[in-house]
Amino acid sequence: MEAGSALDAAPLRGFKDFYQYASTTRIIAGRELLGSTGFEFQKEGARRVFVVTDEVIRGTGLVERVEAGVADGGLEVAGVFDQVPQDSSTDVCERCAAAAKEAGADSFLAVGGGSVMDTAKVADAVFTHGGGAAEQEGFFLMPREDDGMGRPLDIAPLACVPTTAGTGSEVSMAAVIKDPERKVKLEIADFPLFPRLAILDPETTRTLPPAIAAATGMDAMTHAIEGYVSTDWSPHQDARSLQALRMIRDNLERAVQNGEQDEEARGNMLIAANLAITIALGSVHAMSHPAGAQFGVPHGVANAIHLPHVVEHNAAGGSDIADRYRDIADVFDVSAPEVGPALAAYLTELIAGLGLPTRLSEVGVPESGIPALVEGAMGDGTTLLNPREMGEDEYTALYRRAL
Ligand SMILES: [Fe+2]
């Protein structure tokens, strides 16, 4: 078949009919940057900064150091919200927005992992535009000038200091939070959610527990792989995905096994996570979101469990899909006539070597939970971006294999 012909449901090569690409976050990366937080954030319009974090991060002393950096630049800390849970939700975002209003803040500074950063994004949108957190749901639906046809309206300046290397939320236009009433993960994506500033300093991940470094690192790995094979692929993202994979290959195990001593590996993983992130994902994320919403499986752990099964399934879906996985396998020096099983086996071994669970039954998911998980995966937006068309039967089989 001709590359990109009309008969090809999901052409994964050739010149695309359409794609768009944006990456508007200013990134500063390097050593000893926390003291410059205020100096840098001032350039993005911040004056009275509202800090969003969680109790664990606050307990490490990192927040105080960032606050000192804010003050050092002549900015004020208007308040600190440290009540973000591991798996944040709409009500937390609303409380956070109300607290920022109460404090008279004009900007948000997230210090934490994906849950903290996503909470800050949604809280900022609620803070700026009003309404409830669940109303923010959707892709490219945020308020725009000219009755919704013009430029998207800015939200208050947001800066992120990630304390894990994986989510990439600090440079992405997306946020995922739980709606506790509907027991689903809400996905929100639009240009204003790109943080204005991301500060990447390996000091922030120095004391990261190895299990978290492993799980979040596998989230970055999943973004790089899913982004590369997504029907919503683009040459811009391809370049990022492949470099992310090389950096993850060279740094993930080092960062997990000897992270506290290995500043270079930690710093490189922070950058790899930035390169890997995209909203063009696929069925690994479609399966992991309901596992998180319904059974509390941490996002990176769920991705690590599902990834090898989805790789093997997708790669069997046609030669153009297999070709894309072959590019990925090349990065890891995996070569075999059948790329799917070979790459899946490589990933499974890597994941086990990182000390992560490899089965859903190890993380509290019962067999009886599968039908609801399948329903969740079918309803997840990333299902539409998977290179192989997915249905209930396919998802049921994959969850069973992962059990
Ligand atoms: Fe993810």
Side-chain angles (χ1 to χ4, degrees):
M1 192 186 292
E2 280 284 292
S5 84
L7 294 173
D8 196 343
L12 295 173
R13 60 193 156 191
F15 182 71
K16 298 197 84 172
D17 290 337
F18 173 81
Y19 75 89
Q20 65 177 333
Y21 175 86
S23 181
T24 58
T25 302
R26 180 165 68 93
I27 297 163
I28 59 171
R31 295 184 174 90
E32 294 178 29
L33 297 177
L34 301 182
S36 325
T37 303
F39 174 77
E40 296 289 352
F41 200 17
Q42 186 168 32
K43 297 176 203 293
E44 304 301 334
R47 295 292 177 271
R48 285 181 54 79
V49 178
F50 193 71
V51 177
V52 182
T53 188
D54 64 35
E55 285 177 325
V56 176
I57 297 291
R58 204 171 188 187
T60 66
L62 202 57
V63 177
E64 284 71 20
R65 293 178 57 189
V66 174
E67 283 184 66
V70 169
D72 207 44
L75 278 64
E76 274 178 77
V77 176
V80 180
F81 182 89
D82 67 2
Q83 298 299 303
V84 181
Q86 188 214 307
D87 196 10
S88 191
S89 53
T90 46
D91 51 318
V92 177
C93 296
E94 285 161 11
R95 274 193 284 127
C96 180
K101 271 261 148 67
E102 176 85 29
D106 65 10
S107 50
F108 287 79
L109 171 61
V111 183
S115 186
V116 165
M117 293 189 281
D118 287 2
T119 298
K121 285 179 178 179
V122 178
D124 191 340
V126 169
F127 171 90
T128 305
H129 295 310
E135 290 168 47
Q136 313 293 324
E137 187 182 12
F139 280 57
F140 305 109
L141 294 176
M142 288 180 73
R144 280 163 163 72
E145 293 170 349
D146 303 327
D147 291 331
M149 298 306 290
R151 187 179 177 281
L153 302 178
D154 287 333
I155 59 173
L158 167 64
C160 291
V161 180
T163 60
T164 59
T167 164
S169 185
E170 66 278 6
V171 296
S172 93
M173 63 156 102
V176 182
I177 48 160
K178 197 163 66 176
D179 181 336
E181 277 165 35
R182 290 196 289 149
K183 277 207 161 188
V184 293
K185 295 261 184 159
L186 301 181
E187 290 159 56
I188 303 155
D190 204 342
F191 299 112
L193 292 181
F194 275 118
R196 307 262 179 106
L197 174 68
I199 300 177
L200 310 182
D201 180 337
E203 182 57 23
T204 62
T205 55
R206 192 169 51 79
T207 58
L208 192 65
I212 312 272
T216 50
M218 282 308 300
D219 188 26
M221 171 84 91
T222 305
H223 297 154
I225 292 177
E226 291 216 280
Y228 193 78
V229 301
S230 172
T231 58
D232 201 21
W233 68 278
S234 76
H236 283 77
Q237 190 62 38
D238 286 356
R240 290 176 55 149
S241 298
L242 292 176
Q243 179 60 9
L245 288 169
R246 292 183 201 107
M247 293 182 79
I248 293 167
R249 173 195 66 198
D250 296 339
N251 295 282
L252 175 56
E253 285 161 298
R254 283 170 55 186
V256 171
Q257 283 153 12
N258 189 31
E260 194 156 357
Q261 278 75 46
D262 199 336
E263 182 188 61
E264 180 178 288
R266 294 197 317 271
N268 281 335
M269 279 306 298
L270 281 167
I271 294 168
N274 279 203
L275 289 166
I277 190 62
T278 170
I279 59 168
L281 295 168
S283 287
V284 182
H285 275 76
M287 293 176 73
S288 295
H289 289 153
Q294 296 172 28
F295 295 101
V297 185
H299 181 65
V301 171
N303 282 338
I305 292 171
H306 296 137
L307 179 65
H309 300 286
V310 173
V311 165
E312 188 162 355
H313 176 79
N314 282 348
S319 62
D320 59 336
I321 303 175
D323 282 348
R324 298 289 281 184
Y325 281 109
R326 203 161 279 120
D327 292 345
I328 293 165
D330 283 347
V331 173
F332 296 107
D333 225 4
V334 171
S335 66
E338 290 280 313
V339 66
L343 183 57
Y346 171 85
L347 290 168
T348 302
E349 198 182 321
L350 174 77
I351 291 159
L354 293 172
L356 290 170
T358 56
R359 313 216 70 87
L360 286 172
S361 52
E362 290 175 60
V363 291
V365 178
E367 190 175 5
S368 60
I370 289 179
L373 289 173
V374 169
E375 194 186 331
M378 288 297 292
D380 195 278
T382 55
T383 282
L384 299 171
L385 306 177
N386 193 61
R388 191 171 181 186
E389 198 174 323
M390 298 296 289
E392 286 182 12
D393 292 348
E394 284 80 6
Y395 275 129
T396 302
L398 286 175
Y399 277 123
R400 283 191 183 285
R401 254 174 252 161
L403 200 63

